[in-house]
Amino acid sequence: MTLSRRPLLLLPLALAACSGSAPPLKLGFLGGLSGRVADLGEAGRNGTLLAVEQCNQAGGLQGRPVELLIADDEQNADAARRGIESLRQAGAMALIGPLTSAMGVAVLPLINQHQLLTISPTITSTELFGQDDYLLLVAPPVSENCLRSARHLHAKGLRRAAVAYDLGNRSYTEDWLRHFTKSFSALGGQVVSQASFQSGAGYGEVVSQLLASKPDLLMFAANALDTVRLTQAARNQGATQAISAASWAATESLLQLGGRTVEGISLPQYFDRDDRSPRYLAFAEAYRQRFKQEPGFASVAAHDATRALLSVLNGKTGPALKTALLGGQRFEGLQATFAFDRYGDAERQTHMTEVRDGRFVRLP
């Protein structure tokens, strides 16, 4: 929802299992819950909400319930900044989000100004790594994903890549283009053409521009919906080239919207949908019961980020909370343990996946 038009949305569901007179500890969530990036934002919100509800079902934090406040950044810089201010004024002690690099860049000065500890589950732009600030990052950087992708594609014999990238999240997509070009070129490949576009329009024109360079690989740095539309445009123009995509597109929406069209697309990920560990299976079942859908990478990363934050929150805010998170402690994620380095960046392993029979299949 648009914070400039409506009051901040509160979720009493997050308090339902935790009663008593103790005042709640308030946690904020900021993500894109409307528009073309809503699949990512909703998955992140759901993962956060489930972690909060599970915390309250276990008695809260030192007997105090946790209340979740939610704001929609609309994938718009002004809306994101309004969201930060609304969450802060409503009493949020720390935040989960935002979920895209563009929104991270937009709100970084504000969260630093207020020393408002913020953990993003899914931001990966290298522009936001290696900084001593109040934005902590759970996902691996673009550079790691691009290296993994370049190695995989080069090993398949592909040498001429054409890249389309979305200007609506350019801090991520231009970073992707830059690092993929560097990694692919170092292996002997070449980015023979590139085309930028605005989400929601011009897919056929963009694809025609890419195909004119006679590539053997089409690379799309875009969200799931735009990746589907670009792939459809390519197939409609008779393109038979291999298609790969940025990790941003690896949501369940890619499979649901793309159907047979996206079969064979390869993407790097740090989330293993085939994980059979008891911890992950219990989470996945709880997630399906609560939200009537399968969890995705943003759900898992948001759940991990929220649990890490809740484990040290208690009454801490600002510098004290940051110190607690960066103190060298390893946090138990759903699929792997992780720790934040002195800049607040977590290390995660990535792997390649390919869409096969409507599923993301992990590649060796």
Side-chain angles (χ1 to χ4, degrees):
M1 58 191 249
T2 306
L3 289 169
S4 58
R5 302 188 191 101
R6 306 182 198 174
L8 190 69
L9 174 64
L10 304 183
L11 290 187
L13 281 173
L15 295 167
C18 208
S19 59
S21 58
L25 295 167
K26 296 182 179 182
L27 179 66
F29 173 86
L30 177 71
L33 300 173
S34 57
R36 303 177 74 83
V37 299
D39 59 334
L40 187 71
E42 289 173 0
R45 176 203 60 195
N46 292 349
T48 300
L49 179 57
L50 184 58
V52 169
E53 289 177 344
Q54 290 172 334
C55 175
N56 285 335
Q57 289 164 5
L61 298 179
Q62 295 186 339
R64 296 176 65 180
V66 179
E67 183 176 1
L68 186 64
L69 313 175
I70 296 177
D72 180 5
D73 65 30
E74 305 173 39
Q75 190 61 16
N76 175 278
D78 290 336
R81 287 187 283 266
R82 290 194 299 269
I84 292 289
E85 289 292 2
S86 295
L87 291 167
R88 187 179 67 85
Q89 292 171 13
M93 303 172 65
L95 305 183
I96 300 297
L99 276 75
T100 67
S101 298
M103 295 303 95
V105 170
V107 303
L108 183 60
L110 199 56
I111 63 175
N112 283 340
Q113 174 188 335
H114 295 304
Q115 296 185 328
L116 182 61
L117 198 287
T118 302
I119 308 180
S120 173
T122 54
I123 281 177
T124 59
S125 172
T126 55
E127 178 181 358
L128 295 168
F129 279 72
Q131 297 190 38
D132 184 9
D133 53 30
Y134 279 84
L135 179 62
L136 278 60
L137 306 174
V138 170
V142 160
S143 54
E144 173 65 23
N145 286 314
C146 285
L147 178 60
R148 182 80 62 178
S149 186
R151 286 174 174 170
H152 167 73
L153 295 167
H154 186 270
K156 291 181 67 174
L158 302 169
R159 297 293 183 270
R160 293 172 57 83
V163 182
Y165 60 99
D166 174 18
L167 291 176
N169 189 15
R170 65 193 310 164
S171 58
Y172 170 82
T173 59
E174 289 183 348
D175 200 35
W176 183 279
L177 172 63
R178 181 168 55 253
H179 282 283
F180 179 77
T181 299
K182 177 181 178 182
S183 295
F184 198 54
S185 298
L187 294 168
Q190 181 183 5
V191 173
V192 294
S193 66
Q194 54 186 265
S196 62
F197 69 97
Q198 293 287 349
S199 179
Y203 303 118
E205 181 180 346
V206 167
V207 167
S208 295
Q209 183 178 336
L210 298 183
L211 293 177
S213 63
K214 302 188 183 308
D216 55 19
L217 167 67
L218 298 175
M219 167 68 73
F220 302 141
N223 63 45
L225 176 56
D226 288 330
T227 296
V228 170
R229 297 292 180 254
L230 288 164
T231 303
Q232 290 171 336
R235 298 314 184 206
N236 288 341
Q237 293 183 35
T240 58
Q241 285 85 348
I243 296 179
S244 191
S247 51
W248 184 17
T251 70
E252 278 36 56
S253 289
L254 182 78
L255 306 177
Q256 295 162 3
L257 298 173
R260 298 296 302 176
T261 303
V262 298
E263 284 289 307
I265 288 182
S266 60
L267 315 90
Q269 301 191 50
Y270 57 93
F271 167 44
D272 183 3
R273 288 167 175 78
D274 295 324
D275 184 3
R276 308 308 296 172
S277 67
R279 182 182 298 107
Y280 175 70
L281 291 177
F283 161 80
E285 179 59 25
Y287 191 95
R288 286 190 291 267
Q289 289 291 327
R290 177 67 175 84
F291 302 110
K292 312 306 178 188
Q293 59 186 237
E294 293 294 323
F297 75 90
S299 313
V300 170
H303 193 273
D304 285 354
T306 306
R307 282 177 52 86
L309 179 57
L310 291 174
S311 72
V312 300
L313 184 63
N314 292 331
K316 301 184 186 72
T317 59
L321 183 56
K322 179 180 175 181
T323 297
L325 284 162
L326 272 58
Q329 177 180 345
R330 293 202 67 82
F331 299 99
E332 196 71 57
L334 291 169
Q335 298 190 330
T337 62
F338 64 95
F340 296 103
D341 65 18
R342 65 191 182 97
Y343 296 114
D345 305 334
E347 292 186 3
R348 293 238 175 174
Q349 298 298 315
T350 62
H351 57 268
M352 290 301 298
T353 62
E354 186 175 289
V355 179
R356 296 178 183 172
D357 297 323
R359 298 177 60 249
F360 290 110
V361 176
R362 181 169 180 166
L363 301 178

